[in-house]
Amino acid sequence: MVTVRADSAFYQHDVVAAVRRGGAHFSITARMDAAVVAAISRIPEEAWVGIKYPEAIWDEDEQRWVSDADVAEIHYTAFTSRKKDDHTSARLIVRRVKRLNPRSVPQGQGEMFNVYRHHAVFTDSPLSMLQAEAAHRDHAIIEQVIADLKNGPLAHMPSAVFTANSAWTVLAAIAFNLTRAAGVLASRFHAKARMATIRAQLIAVPARIANRARTWLLHLPRNWPWQQAWDELFETASGQLTAAT
């Protein structure tokens, strides 16, 4: 299975054609253009199947975690702007999530698109509808990990030497895993937070270490909103020092 995300429909067609020549299957994040919107509008209401995610998924556009959604599919022909031999028919699998603020929908969209956000996947996967949607979503999770790394240590490589950059990448992966583990130990919120949030709220903390009567004290900021989460992380990780405000 090859998962593709690209802005250019022409590029997507070339990749899909290559994938099919190689005997593999494809899964493409479909742009919400007029043809895709029209196809979604033809899906009958009874075709939507409700699903719940054991682990919430991140909605990039609305900047929130989503725990449940509806999924449906419809037959779709893509790349119709190209010559007829290039037209490709497969499955359009759509996930819809209720909007937090329907009034924020751009003017001119229909009622269905006022109430829901839609995420479409064009695929020839032989998996069942829910399995194919989950497989594609797994790729989106990996992309979020890559985005976190690119927003941090992989924003640029430090050297023109390949081996140095290779070591840097390994250290970046280790730092990412440790940061994610710290978030899980700290709180439910930080367990799903991004690296930048964990760094800002739990790592880059203006604190002071003092020694009083042979006891080490860590003086944290006053009225610090993340103290409980930090205390939970610290006590779980070590439990050796006494935190003092």
Side-chain angles (χ1 to χ4, degrees):
M1 174 68 69
V2 176
T3 306
V4 182
R5 292 191 70 174
D7 290 334
S8 170
F10 288 90
Y11 172 78
Q12 288 181 341
H13 171 269
D14 293 341
V15 172
V16 167
V19 168
R20 284 190 155 181
R21 285 196 300 270
H25 298 284
F26 64 86
S27 181
I28 298 177
T29 297
R31 298 178 63 187
M32 294 297 292
D33 57 22
V36 170
V37 170
I40 295 173
S41 67
R42 293 194 297 271
I43 299 176
E45 186 62 30
E46 59 271 16
W48 294 96
V49 177
I51 59 172
K52 288 190 175 294
Y53 302 120
E55 297 181 3
I57 62 174
W58 179 253
D59 189 317
E60 184 69 30
D61 294 317
E62 292 203 347
Q63 294 293 295
R64 66 182 178 106
W65 293 96
V66 175
S67 297
D68 52 19
D70 297 327
V71 178
E73 70 172 286
I74 191 171
H75 185 77
Y76 182 74
T77 301
F79 316 125
T80 54
S81 61
R82 300 174 63 108
K83 61 183 180 180
K84 190 170 183 179
D85 289 345
D86 291 340
H87 295 185
T88 304
S89 295
R91 308 160 68 188
L92 187 70
I93 298 177
V94 186
R95 183 179 79 247
R96 71 179 186 182
V97 179
K98 280 201 170 183
R99 291 182 181 271
L100 285 179
N101 182 17
R103 297 181 181 178
S104 65
V105 178
Q107 186 176 4
Q109 292 195 3
E111 181 179 354
M112 179 178 66
F113 293 89
N114 290 342
V115 179
Y116 294 98
R117 284 184 45 74
H118 295 80
H119 308 265
V121 177
F122 183 58
T123 181
D124 65 347
S125 170
L127 298 174
S128 69
M129 178 180 69
L130 295 184
Q131 288 176 331
E133 190 274 336
H136 188 86
R137 182 165 25 88
D138 285 342
H139 179 75
I141 294 172
I142 295 300
E143 284 192 337
Q144 184 58 57
V145 172
I146 295 172
D148 268 353
L149 288 169
K150 290 174 68 176
N151 193 39
L154 297 188
H156 62 83
M157 291 297 182
S159 175
V161 180
F162 177 83
T163 51
N165 289 335
S166 177
W168 178 270
T169 303
V170 172
L171 293 174
I174 294 173
F176 174 85
N177 289 333
L178 290 175
T179 303
R180 297 301 315 150
V184 171
L185 293 176
S187 70
R188 290 174 62 89
F189 169 78
H190 292 98
K192 297 178 180 179
R194 296 186 178 185
M195 278 189 70
T197 300
I198 298 174
R199 287 197 304 267
Q201 296 178 357
L202 300 179
I203 298 176
V205 180
R208 179 170 60 88
I209 299 176
N211 187 310
R212 183 182 303 165
R214 298 183 179 180
T215 300
W216 290 101
L217 299 175
L218 184 65
H219 294 270
L220 299 172
R222 290 185 178 181
N223 302 320
W224 183 34
W226 309 112
Q227 180 173 342
Q228 183 176 353
W230 191 94
D231 285 344
E232 186 68 28
L233 166 61
F234 192 87
E235 291 300 323
T236 304
S238 66
Q240 297 181 4
L241 297 185
T242 301
T245 56

mmCIF file of all heavy atoms in Angstrom, residues 6 14-15 141 155 180 189 210 214 245:
data_model
loop_
_atom_site.group_PDB
_atom_site.id
_atom_site.type_symbol
_atom_site.label_atom_id
_atom_site.label_comp_id
_atom_site.label_asym_id
_atom_site.label_seq_id
_atom_site.Cartn_x
_atom_site.Cartn_y
_atom_site.Cartn_z
ATOM 1 N N ALA A 6 -0.355 15.022 -1.958
ATOM 2 C CA ALA A 6 0.262 15.986 -2.864
ATOM 3 C C ALA A 6 -0.782 16.980 -3.325
ATOM 4 O O ALA A 6 -1.949 16.646 -3.469
ATOM 5 C CB ALA A 6 0.879 15.272 -4.073
ATOM 6 N N ASP A 14 0.419 10.511 -11.730
ATOM 7 C CA ASP A 14 1.652 9.829 -12.114
ATOM 8 C C ASP A 14 2.062 8.813 -11.052
ATOM 9 O O ASP A 14 2.518 7.710 -11.374
ATOM 10 C CB ASP A 14 2.771 10.859 -12.318
ATOM 11 C CG ASP A 14 2.507 11.751 -13.514
ATOM 12 O OD1 ASP A 14 1.694 11.368 -14.369
ATOM 13 O OD2 ASP A 14 3.102 12.850 -13.580
ATOM 14 N N VAL A 15 1.887 9.186 -9.766
ATOM 15 C CA VAL A 15 2.229 8.251 -8.699
ATOM 16 C C VAL A 15 1.282 7.052 -8.717
ATOM 17 O O VAL A 15 1.714 5.901 -8.605
ATOM 18 C CB VAL A 15 2.175 8.961 -7.325
ATOM 19 C CG1 VAL A 15 2.334 7.950 -6.193
ATOM 20 C CG2 VAL A 15 3.253 10.023 -7.237
ATOM 21 N N ILE A 141 -0.829 10.111 11.345
ATOM 22 C CA ILE A 141 -0.193 10.154 12.658
ATOM 23 C C ILE A 141 1.318 10.253 12.506
ATOM 24 O O ILE A 141 1.983 11.026 13.204
ATOM 25 C CB ILE A 141 -0.583 8.907 13.472
ATOM 26 C CG1 ILE A 141 -2.088 8.935 13.789
ATOM 27 C CG2 ILE A 141 0.217 8.829 14.775
ATOM 28 C CD1 ILE A 141 -2.607 7.662 14.419
ATOM 29 N N ALA A 155 14.520 21.147 12.206
ATOM 30 C CA ALA A 155 14.236 22.372 11.450
ATOM 31 C C ALA A 155 15.370 22.663 10.473
ATOM 32 O O ALA A 155 15.156 23.205 9.387
ATOM 33 C CB ALA A 155 14.040 23.546 12.398
ATOM 34 N N ARG A 180 7.958 12.712 24.604
ATOM 35 C CA ARG A 180 6.626 12.131 24.581
ATOM 36 C C ARG A 180 6.377 11.320 25.861
ATOM 37 O O ARG A 180 5.292 11.357 26.431
ATOM 38 C CB ARG A 180 6.471 11.200 23.366
ATOM 39 C CG ARG A 180 6.601 11.881 22.017
ATOM 40 C CD ARG A 180 5.588 12.965 21.816
ATOM 41 N NE ARG A 180 4.268 12.558 22.228
ATOM 42 C CZ ARG A 180 3.347 13.375 22.687
ATOM 43 N NH1 ARG A 180 3.621 14.653 22.822
ATOM 44 N NH2 ARG A 180 2.149 12.928 23.027
ATOM 45 N N PHE A 189 -3.495 15.808 29.575
ATOM 46 C CA PHE A 189 -3.350 16.856 28.554
ATOM 47 C C PHE A 189 -2.006 16.744 27.852
ATOM 48 O O PHE A 189 -1.934 16.758 26.617
ATOM 49 C CB PHE A 189 -3.480 18.231 29.201
ATOM 50 C CG PHE A 189 -3.082 19.368 28.293
ATOM 51 C CD1 PHE A 189 -3.947 19.817 27.299
ATOM 52 C CD2 PHE A 189 -1.832 19.961 28.408
ATOM 53 C CE1 PHE A 189 -3.577 20.850 26.447
ATOM 54 C CE2 PHE A 189 -1.458 20.999 27.560
ATOM 55 C CZ PHE A 189 -2.332 21.439 26.579
ATOM 56 N N ALA A 210 18.235 24.902 45.313
ATOM 57 C CA ALA A 210 18.884 25.370 46.537
ATOM 58 C C ALA A 210 19.154 24.184 47.452
ATOM 59 O O ALA A 210 18.487 23.145 47.368
ATOM 60 C CB ALA A 210 17.996 26.387 47.252
ATOM 61 N N ARG A 214 21.163 20.274 54.183
ATOM 62 C CA ARG A 214 21.487 19.040 53.470
ATOM 63 C C ARG A 214 20.292 18.450 52.724
ATOM 64 O O ARG A 214 20.234 17.251 52.462
ATOM 65 C CB ARG A 214 22.054 17.993 54.438
ATOM 66 C CG ARG A 214 23.347 18.408 55.107
ATOM 67 C CD ARG A 214 23.887 17.306 55.985
ATOM 68 N NE ARG A 214 25.137 17.711 56.603
ATOM 69 C CZ ARG A 214 25.845 16.946 57.434
ATOM 70 N NH1 ARG A 214 25.394 15.719 57.731
ATOM 71 N NH2 ARG A 214 26.962 17.388 57.960
ATOM 72 N N THR A 245 7.731 25.984 46.192
ATOM 73 C CA THR A 245 7.387 27.182 45.436
ATOM 74 C C THR A 245 7.973 28.401 46.111
ATOM 75 O O THR A 245 8.309 28.381 47.281
ATOM 76 C CB THR A 245 5.868 27.326 45.359
ATOM 77 O OG1 THR A 245 5.329 27.344 46.670
ATOM 78 C CG2 THR A 245 5.263 26.183 44.563
#
